[in-house]
Amino acid sequence: MYPPSRKDFISLTLSDPHSQNYNNGKHRRQSCWRKWKQLSRLQRSLILFLLALLLILGLLSYSSITEHWRGLSDQEDWLELNDRELKAIPPGVKPVLGQAAGKAPDPVGGPHLQLTVVPDAAGEARGPNIPILVKPPVKKKIFANKRGPPSLQRDANVSDTVGREKQEQVVQEDEGEEEEKQKKIVSWRGAMIEADQATEPPPSANEKEAAVPPAPANPAGTVPLEVSPETRVRLEAVCDAFRHAWKGYKDYAWGHDELKPISKSFGEWFGLGLTLIDALDTMWIMGLKEEFAEAKTWVEKDLSFNKNVDVNLFETTIRILGGLLSTYHLTGDQLFLEKAKDIGSRLMPAFKTPSKIPFSDVNIGKGTAHPPRWTSDSTLAEVTSIQLEFRELSRLTQDPQYQEAVNEVMTLVHKLPGKHDGLVPMFINTNNGQFTHKGVFTLGARADSYYEYLLKQWIQGGKTEDNLLEDYLEAIEGVKKHLVRQTGPSKLTFVGELSHNRFNPKMDHLVCFLPGTLALGAHNGLPGDHMDLAVQLMETCHQMYKQMETGLSPEIAHFSLQASDGSDVIVKPADRHNLLRPETVESLFYMYRFTKDAKYRDWGWDMLQSFNKYTKVSGGGYTSINNVRDPLSTGPRDKMESFFLGETLKYFYLLFSDDMELLSLDKYVFNTEAHPLPIWPSPPK
């Protein structure tokens, strides 16, 4: 082959001397300098300042990153050393039959060996021997899986439940949309209102000590040996569910507010470890000693309320203050009372309003409070569902300011015009203290726990506050008169809503708290027809699960009033989601405690199996879902609410327990987040 012929040539470039297209570097530098000189002195100074600021921030970031990774390296060395230390079994502990912590469940439901407390020589049971761990055993791979916490957005400090419902419809589609919704400080459930209560001084120190009950009879054991095989299987299934949920939280969201089990990350609301604090008393009740010890160490070492962050008064009170007070009563550990006093005092600025009706949001670091940005109203249920917790805080601390603040709210609400046979509107103005948006009455979001706390405050205070009882009885009569209806097909009894005298056959899942509340009232001597209504409503709440293809209830149900052979329960597309809510199993717990009817346990067992089948995430945790009507495409929402551990699983455990003295309903009253608080001793007559 011949090589290709060479073609020699000369390239010549001609340029116009008057052209502005300079290729020479010198000319380019001259052009830049000319443009720089054309800038004003202010513009040049601003540019130089920004460059200097960027340089300083870069140096600071490099320094902090270097220290952070050096700290991680030291921590991993410590963990490796700690893992090699084997500790002897402490005295007073022996192996007993039960589900071992962290152990995979036996495929046939068989028990495993577990350490538990035994009586000492004097015959007195010792408290649980809880190891104090400096840090939870963090795995090295966790740091790669964790995402940075989404910034806590304060562009919309929303306390309104409407914002909450919008937030809860987050799907794991667009990460940007998820972060935008995560930024909204919203309230997930309507709160309760309480009637006027006497402004009595807190009990004396002696009465206070007498009212603090001991820990449950079996605080360290998971499942007592004497239970039936069926009960054992069910209790162990609940403990396994808790451990699985806790594993996901510990691995991917430790110390943060909520687990996102699908993406193996976390969501932040207030940045106060909501899930961990909500779950403290659940772990103690179930006897999960190792998990409790890890959580307690975090509370002791890492929980700080000295943060420049806006929190929702209602949510922080029922979850954090309520959880800390409950855990203090169950354990007797002063740590939890001190933390409760800290957060309680930081919430008090919310009550500094012209009307004494509290603002919805508080900055616990700055000591300031404000309503939502678009309104001066507060949700009625929220401002009247903090009383159980603040009253108890005054009783324990002998500081009357907490009880006086919430009592004043109840006194004002008790006297307000605008009620409808005991039913209350959903909003109240913080400036003038008057009801707003009148004419709409519901037992769902924004109103539900008002009615619940009327009864529970009366019980908590030893049944001495007559205004609370009168308001509760009047409200239940109003419910029966205006809101109770029956479906056409199967004659299911349900509670609807009233909007300007028009009835709407719509019932939130939240309303399923009512059967349990009615039963609790009947147990405390209220009219027998309250129990009759409780039985009927319990059946309806059960059907809201049973009639769905997944066996899980939708967030909102509509009911057919027409006589036909069709379905009683109608679910609109926007209402098909399930958030792992506790209200139905809560009422099942009350109904079984008071009737001993085994069907309520069976219904609860079916619900637990459905949660395991359709919401359990293999890597750890449970997720809320978008569609309870399609078993093949449930649409996981990638969020495990803190109340799944704080309420739902706790009520499942109490429902299946044979020990009627385990949080006896004659000694404890549960707040709306399922945190048990002691019933006060009746004052001498």
Side-chain angles (χ1 to χ4, degrees):
M1 294 183 64
Y2 297 97
S5 60
R6 294 183 56 187
K7 296 182 181 181
D8 296 326
F9 59 88
I10 296 174
S11 175
L12 181 63
T13 302
L14 299 177
S15 62
D16 184 353
H18 302 291
S19 171
Q20 299 299 316
N21 298 326
Y22 300 107
N23 294 320
N24 186 284
K26 177 180 178 181
H27 289 294
R28 284 198 302 271
R29 289 192 295 272
Q30 290 176 349
S31 176
C32 291
W33 176 251
R34 185 181 298 111
K35 292 179 180 178
W36 172 259
K37 295 295 287 182
Q38 290 174 352
L39 296 175
S40 69
R41 180 176 297 175
L42 176 62
Q43 291 173 320
R44 292 198 298 268
S45 299
L46 182 60
I47 292 173
L48 291 173
F49 172 78
L50 291 175
L51 289 174
L53 182 62
L54 288 173
L55 179 61
I56 294 171
L57 291 175
L59 293 173
L60 291 176
S61 299
Y62 176 79
S63 175
S64 64
I65 290 173
T66 303
E67 293 175 3
H68 173 71
W69 284 107
R70 185 181 297 118
L72 290 181
S73 176
D74 294 341
Q75 182 189 50
E76 289 165 7
D77 293 340
W78 179 89
L79 288 172
E80 291 173 2
L81 177 63
N82 240 8
D83 288 340
R84 290 194 296 268
E85 296 179 1
L86 298 178
K87 299 177 181 178
I89 298 176
V93 175
K94 69 177 182 181
V96 298
L97 204 56
Q99 181 69 40
K103 186 101 175 169
D106 192 281
V108 295
H112 301 284
L113 283 179
Q114 173 183 316
L115 296 181
T116 189
V117 178
V118 296
D120 59 15
E124 295 181 356
R126 297 180 181 178
N129 199 322
I130 300 176
I132 303 302
L133 309 178
V134 178
K135 284 281 185 183
V138 183
K139 298 180 182 177
K140 217 170 184 181
K141 64 179 183 179
I142 293 176
F143 298 106
N145 289 333
K146 278 189 177 180
R147 300 181 183 178
S151 60
L152 186 61
Q153 314 159 1
R154 288 181 283 280
D155 55 333
N157 293 324
V158 185
S159 295
D160 190 0
T161 313
V162 174
R164 178 258 309 172
E165 292 172 2
K166 290 181 180 178
Q167 183 196 26
E168 289 170 343
Q169 291 172 0
V170 174
V171 201
Q172 62 176 107
E173 299 170 354
D174 185 325
E175 183 125 359
E177 293 179 6
E178 172 70 15
E179 291 180 356
E180 281 302 309
K181 298 212 175 191
Q182 195 71 40
K183 292 178 182 178
K184 295 180 181 177
I185 299 179
V186 298
S187 170
W188 63 273
R189 71 189 287 174
M192 328 91 172
I193 268 197
E194 306 152 42
D196 174 17
Q197 53 198 43
T199 323
E200 59 183 6
S204 66
N206 291 336
E207 289 175 331
K208 177 182 73 172
E209 293 176 3
V212 177
N218 185 35
T222 306
V223 181
L225 289 174
E226 63 273 10
V227 301
S228 67
E230 181 181 60
T231 297
R232 177 183 302 279
V233 168
R234 292 179 175 183
L235 288 174
E236 289 182 349
V238 179
C239 291
D240 289 342
F242 186 97
R243 291 190 188 98
H244 184 80
W246 188 253
K247 177 185 182 300
Y249 177 75
K250 179 178 170 182
D251 287 349
Y252 308 116
W254 182 256
H256 297 284
D257 285 342
E258 294 169 336
L259 168 67
K260 299 169 70 174
I262 304 296
S263 58
K264 297 182 178 179
S265 60
F266 56 84
E268 211 71 298
W269 193 0
F270 308 139
L272 299 177
L274 284 183
T275 294
L276 188 149
I277 298 176
D278 233 356
L280 284 168
D281 54 7
T282 304
M283 290 183 280
W284 184 265
I285 292 164
M286 291 182 179
L288 303 177
K289 295 188 295 181
E290 179 180 344
E291 292 84 351
F292 181 86
E294 293 169 350
K296 176 189 170 181
T297 300
W298 182 88
V299 171
E300 184 176 16
K301 304 294 184 182
D302 299 312
L303 177 61
S304 172
F305 298 126
N306 187 23
K307 290 186 175 183
N308 179 20
V309 60
D310 281 3
V311 302
N312 177 269
L313 171 66
F314 166 66
E315 297 291 355
T316 306
T317 298
I318 66 170
R319 301 193 196 205
I320 296 181
L321 179 57
L324 292 170
L325 290 173
S326 170
T327 306
Y328 165 69
H329 280 296
L330 296 178
T331 65
D333 194 320
Q334 197 73 15
L335 165 69
F336 301 108
L337 179 58
E338 292 303 317
K339 293 291 185 180
K341 288 192 289 188
D342 187 10
I343 188 61
S345 63
R346 292 175 183 272
L347 294 175
M348 290 303 290
F351 296 91
K352 296 178 180 178
T353 68
S355 66
K356 305 303 181 183
I357 298 296
F359 287 131
S360 60
D361 297 289
V362 189
N363 188 301
I364 56 175
K366 294 181 177 179
T368 59
H370 58 86
R373 296 189 178 182
W374 58 87
T375 180
S376 59
D377 292 346
S378 285
T379 300
L380 183 66
E382 291 190 0
V383 302
T384 56
S385 298
I386 53 181
Q387 277 70 14
L388 289 178
E389 298 82 1
F390 277 96
R391 285 157 51 111
E392 179 62 16
L393 185 59
S394 272
R395 191 179 73 91
L396 292 175
T397 63
Q398 296 295 289
D399 184 346
Q401 65 165 324
Y402 309 110
Q403 181 167 342
E404 288 173 354
V406 295
N407 278 355
E408 187 160 10
V409 175
M410 293 310 305
T411 301
L412 291 170
V413 171
H414 174 71
K415 297 176 181 178
L416 277 183
K419 299 178 184 177
H420 186 47
D421 291 330
L423 304 178
V424 293
M426 296 184 293
F427 298 98
I428 189 168
N429 189 274
T430 55
N431 292 324
N432 59 30
Q434 298 296 311
F435 290 137
T436 61
H437 301 81
K438 298 179 182 179
V440 179
F441 303 99
T442 176
L443 262 72
R446 306 189 196 99
D448 55 349
S449 50
Y450 161 70
Y451 305 99
E452 175 189 356
Y453 267 37
L454 285 177
L455 175 68
K456 289 183 174 179
Q457 283 182 86
W458 178 69
I459 294 173
Q460 178 194 45
K463 305 179 184 178
T464 61
E465 298 156 290
D466 293 338
N467 284 340
L468 293 170
L469 177 60
E470 292 169 4
D471 284 352
Y472 175 74
L473 291 174
E474 183 184 8
I476 297 305
E477 291 306 308
V479 169
K480 292 192 290 184
K481 180 178 179 181
H482 299 291
L483 304 183
V484 171
R485 297 286 191 280
Q486 286 190 331
T487 63
S490 304
K491 303 301 179 185
L492 294 178
T493 300
F494 69 96
V495 176
E497 297 180 352
L498 198 64
S499 179
H500 304 289
N501 294 319
R502 290 191 59 184
F503 182 78
N504 184 4
K506 165 184 173 288
M507 178 170 155
D508 295 358
H509 184 276
L510 289 169
V511 181
C512 286
F513 84 92
L514 188 56
T517 300
L518 289 168
L520 179 62
H523 175 72
N524 282 275
L526 300 191
D529 62 353
H530 287 202
M531 192 63 177
D532 297 336
L533 181 57
V535 171
Q536 296 167 18
L537 291 174
M538 192 74 261
E539 172 66 34
T540 302
C541 292
H542 168 57
Q543 291 298 325
M544 288 170 62
Y545 282 78
K546 185 178 180 181
Q547 293 188 22
M548 298 300 108
E549 288 78 357
T550 58
L552 295 174
S553 171
E555 177 72 357
I556 298 172
H558 288 75
F559 293 91
S560 173
L561 298 176
Q562 304 300 320
S564 67
D565 296 331
S567 174
D568 295 276
V569 184
I570 302 167
V571 186
K572 297 183 178 181
D575 303 331
R576 292 177 177 177
H577 49 290
N578 180 287
L579 304 179
L580 312 175
R581 286 202 186 275
E583 288 78 21
T584 296
V585 66
E586 171 187 357
S587 284
L588 289 174
F589 156 65
Y590 283 105
M591 296 300 290
Y592 179 75
R593 277 282 177 103
F594 297 139
T595 70
K596 304 299 187 296
D597 190 333
K599 73 178 181 183
Y600 297 124
R601 280 182 162 182
D602 295 337
W603 293 355
W605 179 242
D606 292 340
M607 289 167 54
L608 180 62
Q609 290 179 307
S610 293
F611 278 125
N612 278 328
K613 185 173 183 179
Y614 294 107
T615 71
K616 190 174 184 179
V617 179
S618 59
Y622 289 73
T623 179
S624 50
I625 59 176
N626 272 320
N627 192 351
V628 298
R629 310 278 344 223
D630 189 351
L632 301 179
S633 181
T634 58
R637 297 163 69 96
D638 196 20
K639 186 175 184 180
M640 185 177 78
E641 299 274 2
S642 77
F643 55 70
F644 183 66
L645 299 184
E647 298 187 74
T648 308
L649 293 180
K650 180 186 295 163
Y651 281 128
F652 272 123
Y653 188 86
L654 294 173
L655 169 64
F656 298 140
S657 173
D658 289 335
D659 184 1
M660 298 297 106
E661 290 303 309
L662 178 60
L663 299 178
S664 165
L665 294 173
D666 294 321
K667 298 176 182 177
Y668 290 90
V669 61
F670 287 81
N671 85 336
T672 196
E673 192 74 8
H675 297 306
L677 300 173
I679 295 172
W680 303 348
S682 299
K685 296 181 179 180

